[in-house]
Amino acid sequence: MILPSPHPELNEIRNEIANFFGKDTPLANAEQYGGRKYEERPQQKEMATCTAEALINDENLCIEAPTGVGKSFAYLIPAALYSVKKKKPVIISTETINLQEQLINKDIPIIQKLLKTPFTACLAKGRGNYLCKRRLELVSGEHQGEYLPNNSMMPEIARISNWAQTTSDGSLSSLDFEPSSSTWMCVCCEGINCFGPKCKFMRQCFYWNAKKHWEKANLVVSNHALFFSDMKMHMVDNEEMGLLPLYSAVIIDEAHQLESNAAKHLGTRISEPGIYNMLNRLFNPANARGLLIRPGEKAIELRQLVTVTFDFTKTFFNSLRDYMSQFKEQEKRICKPDIVKDVITGQLALLERKLDEYIKEQSDEDYKLELTSQLLRCREYTKAVFEFLMMRAEESVYWIENDNSAQRMSVTLNYSPLSIAEILKKNLFIKDPPVILTSATLSVANKLDFYKGRTGFEGIEKILSSPFNYAKQAKIYIPKTIPDPSEEMFESELAEHIKKYVDKTHGKAFVLFTSYNLLASTKKLTADYFEKKDIRLLVQGEGVSRSNMIKIFKEDIDSVIFGTTSFWMGVDVPGEALSNVIITKLPFSVPTEPIIEARLEKIQKEGKNAFMEYSLPEAVLKLKQGIGRLIRSKEDRGIIVILDKRVISKRYGKIFLDSLPPCPVILE
């Protein structure tokens, strides 16, 4: 049913969408502009129509669009038309860089050629991605000993200076080498270290010029990190102006990760290296560099105070390491305050007070601003550490991460909102700009109830059918004889079954694991097999990046990838190269992971079944993501293998089976 629009002037968008996706669609010409050969997809037209209706009527929309629908075109076209009519940007937020690059470099340029209505688009990045010319001048000048904490950074600074003379956007991604994070932190743009309109480089500022483009663009492609940072600024600071321009609508793609992304970016993270970096920027006792090396009694006193603060900080984090040493886990949830003695916040507060007094006496505005940025960091750390130790944030989950690897000894304190649904409902879904959520995997057993409950979504919901003929394109194999994952013989039998099913396609397989331990043990048990069969085995975690693994996998058509979490989603390998997806275990989250444990506990306190309410549906969505790697086009053919007999031996297995693609299931 089409509702009357509260904005009658937008009604013509309906006709434009109907014409664009009609019989003589311009999409038929997409191939000549670098797009795929056009295939008529009723689901794509349906999604575009639903998106347009939601935008026109100021309604939120949650729409599951299976792989192959062509969802990016289906939301980009109505979004572009809507933005032009409203004269305000539409934000397109994604989780992965891959999708951002696809939208900006491929999909949007094609649509700009096909759509009669002209529109503009740009990519929005966090300000830390941009070079600050004022700060570059400081670290390159006569006082570089103050502004550059380490002399070894100079070669990188010299290369950045040369690049700064020619770059048009000043973005880190366009730099012709990858500087160390510590070097880039000395020259990048920072919100707490900016003169704004008073800066002499304001007209040349890469970040502010980029923001002007965002405000003028019709489509602004962002990522979830920037989007939620913008939301947090409005929530916490009640800021009218945020990081992103005021928008007429937001479309969140890859929305299956909405809850976890919101929890991550709306929470607080306190890293040991972060505090040390702040102190080093003030004064590094090891090399006598830093902002406080200027002469004068106050500066000497502050240098001594920073040195003492280093000692207190070291003592504090060592005590946290001692606390974590009694547990096997690298991540541990904290359920009571004051787990260690607070020897740090008082010292940081003293440093904060003395530094504030010192800054007020300075006349050099550049120097004052650099000091002030470290003062504000010190203030944030003082508050955050105190709130963590006292567990002051209500309805939050607290945990410690302990990285005790040889490469990096580091402790991180975290706390995050426990109930994301209420936060998103209040700050996203019941506000004026319409919100469109979309992903290939949002439903469990053809219902969106679980997803809506976890995210607080309110609005119209839609589940589209798949454009693929799974009955002809894929088969699912489930061995009845493999042991249950809890049984002793599971690992050895798992290896034998992997060999059996890899034989069916002679490689060309993703073998997806739920843990590195199982992956490593299975690799040992199958290494000889792959060598004898002359099948290249690519193993995640052995020094090759995910993107390079995929590149090699596509080129060596008979190869096999052993992968964990990051290979279950966001990987697109159409064609024969990927003809087999093997699921080693149902992807249930580890119930002792801090956030998962807290969510399960909350559900149990509400008198509900935590397994049925959370663990099971979450695992179903992850399984759908993994299986979704196989069929990426109408030409693809292959097999899906589930080596976890619980899908047929447990009562809850039916929910997994009901959520799988409609293809033949073969029990062996």
Side-chain angles (χ1 to χ4, degrees), residues 314-340:
K314 185 177 180 180
T315 299
F316 175 70
F317 282 104
N318 281 342
S319 67
L320 288 169
R321 262 184 281 276
D322 289 341
Y323 173 81
M324 289 293 288
S325 67
Q326 61 188 305
F327 309 108
K328 292 181 181 179
E329 306 98 308
Q330 284 195 310
E331 291 188 0
K332 185 64 181 174
R333 183 181 170 203
I334 304 303
C335 297
K336 61 180 182 179
D338 291 326
I339 53 167
V340 296

Side-chain angles (χ1 to χ4, degrees), residues 36 39-41 43 66-69 465-477 505 573-576 578-581 627-641 661-666:
R36 290 185 178 180
E39 297 173 348
E40 185 178 356
R41 289 169 282 191
Q43 297 89 346
T67 303
V69 164
S465 62
S466 173
F468 300 143
N469 187 343
Y470 275 97
K472 291 184 177 180
Q473 290 181 256
K475 293 178 181 178
I476 297 175
Y477 287 87
T505 51
V573 185
E576 186 186 3
L578 181 55
S579 302
N580 186 351
V581 171
I627 285 173
R629 299 312 97 213
L630 182 66
I631 303 299
R632 311 297 292 180
S633 74
K634 289 185 177 180
E635 287 75 39
D636 284 352
R637 299 290 185 275
I639 63 173
I640 297 159
V641 184
C663 51
V665 177
I666 301 167

Side-chain angles (χ1 to χ4, degrees), residues 316-535:
F316 175 70
F317 282 104
N318 281 342
S319 67
L320 288 169
R321 262 184 281 276
D322 289 341
Y323 173 81
M324 289 293 288
S325 67
Q326 61 188 305
F327 309 108
K328 292 181 181 179
E329 306 98 308
Q330 284 195 310
E331 291 188 0
K332 185 64 181 174
R333 183 181 170 203
I334 304 303
C335 297
K336 61 180 182 179
D338 291 326
I339 53 167
V340 296
K341 186 177 180 182
D342 182 3
V343 297
I344 187 173
T345 58
Q347 190 66 23
L348 288 172
L350 176 61
L351 175 61
E352 178 190 323
R353 189 174 76 251
K354 293 292 184 181
L355 191 57
D356 190 30
E357 294 171 0
Y358 180 70
I359 290 169
K360 289 174 181 176
E361 297 175 0
Q362 306 307 308
S363 57
D364 181 335
E365 292 300 324
D366 282 314
Y367 184 61
K368 284 178 70 173
L369 189 59
E370 290 291 323
L371 283 171
T372 300
S373 70
Q374 303 311 319
L375 168 66
L376 293 175
R377 283 196 174 92
C378 184
R379 190 169 291 160
E380 288 173 2
Y381 282 128
T382 306
K383 179 184 177 183
V385 173
F386 182 75
E387 288 192 348
F388 178 91
L389 291 174
M390 297 301 293
M391 298 181 71
R392 294 253 305 243
E394 295 181 3
E395 287 294 303
S396 294
V397 54
Y398 297 78
W399 73 99
I400 300 176
E401 295 173 24
N402 183 29
D403 184 349
N404 54 11
S405 61
Q407 295 83 9
R408 177 180 177 180
M409 298 279 287
S410 173
V411 172
T412 305
L413 310 180
N414 304 270
Y415 55 98
S416 179
L418 183 54
S419 178
I420 291 299
E422 288 302 316
I423 294 173
L424 293 182
K425 183 182 291 186
K426 178 181 177 183
N427 295 282
L428 187 61
F429 297 126
I430 62 173
K431 292 201 168 184
D432 283 339
V435 180
I436 314 292
L437 305 180
T438 186
S439 170
T441 50
L442 299 175
S443 68
V444 176
N446 294 309
K447 293 182 179 180
L448 291 168
D449 296 355
F450 172 71
Y451 183 78
K452 289 162 54 186
R454 298 308 307 174
T455 60
F457 175 80
E458 291 188 355
I460 301 165
E461 52 190 272
K462 185 78 176 177
I463 299 174
L464 299 175
S465 62
S466 173
F468 300 143
N469 187 343
Y470 275 97
K472 291 184 177 180
Q473 290 181 256
K475 293 178 181 178
I476 297 175
Y477 287 87
I478 305 173
K480 296 185 290 185
T481 57
I482 192 168
D484 187 279
S486 62
E487 295 179 36
E488 188 177 340
M489 293 297 292
F490 175 71
E491 287 193 16
S492 59
E493 285 296 313
L494 176 68
E496 293 305 312
H497 279 77
I498 288 171
K499 296 174 190 177
K500 171 185 173 181
Y501 288 104
V502 166
D503 271 345
K504 282 186 178 292
T505 51
H506 192 69
K508 308 177 186 65
F510 274 11
V511 184
L512 301 179
F513 294 84
T514 57
S515 74
Y516 280 105
N517 288 340
L518 184 59
L519 181 152
S521 63
T522 306
K523 184 214 168 180
K524 288 180 181 178
L525 294 170
T526 57
D528 288 345
Y529 160 82
F530 286 108
E531 188 174 346
K532 287 175 184 176
K533 290 283 185 176
D534 195 27
I535 296 174

